[in-house]
Amino acid sequence: MHPYQVLRRPVVTEKSQKQGQVAKYTFRVPLEANKIQIKEAVELAFKNVKVVDVNTSHVRGKERRVGRHKGVAPDWKKAVVTLKPGQKIEFFEGV
């Protein structure tokens, strides 16, 4: 898998914004991506950044309803990337 296909989009929530203050950033990644691929993708996409740790979790899709029709949102994987102390990703600043 190409590194630019690994990082789908950032996860912007209150919790992820608070973690950004301690150099932790959250991304949505494909289910088949592993921690090594995620680390390489972050270091390639954001120059001058050194990844120290990657934590992943599998998020189940929620059941959705429109009237009497039910559906299920797809499952996805969340990656929390910890950077070296003192480093930050400028992309997240001001979001």
Side-chain angles (χ1 to χ4, degrees), residues 23-91:
K24 289 188 177 189
Y25 298 96
T26 308
F27 295 96
R28 188 172 184 159
V29 297
L31 289 172
E32 55 274 352
N34 60 31
K35 292 182 180 187
I36 297 167
Q37 291 172 332
I38 296 167
K39 177 182 177 179
E40 291 172 354
V42 170
E43 290 178 350
L44 180 68
F46 305 102
K47 305 293 184 198
N48 302 323
V49 168
K50 179 68 177 157
V51 176
V52 177
D53 191 25
V54 177
N55 295 345
T56 60
S57 64
H58 184 90
V59 181
R60 289 209 161 172
K62 295 181 180 180
E63 185 176 285
R64 302 289 185 191
R65 254 183 98 115
V66 177
R68 61 183 178 179
H69 302 287
K70 290 183 182 179
V72 178
D75 296 346
W76 57 285
K77 191 180 231 183
K78 178 169 61 171
V80 179
V81 178
T82 305
L83 303 180
K84 207 171 171 181
Q87 293 184 342
K88 59 183 175 180
I89 297 176
E90 297 297 327
F91 178 76

Side-chain angles (χ1 to χ4, degrees), residues 11-21 24 92 94-95:
V11 175
V12 181
T13 60
E14 288 184 27
K15 183 177 180 178
S16 68
Q17 293 300 316
K18 288 179 185 178
Q19 287 180 337
Q21 297 172 356
K24 289 188 177 189
F92 284 92
V95 174

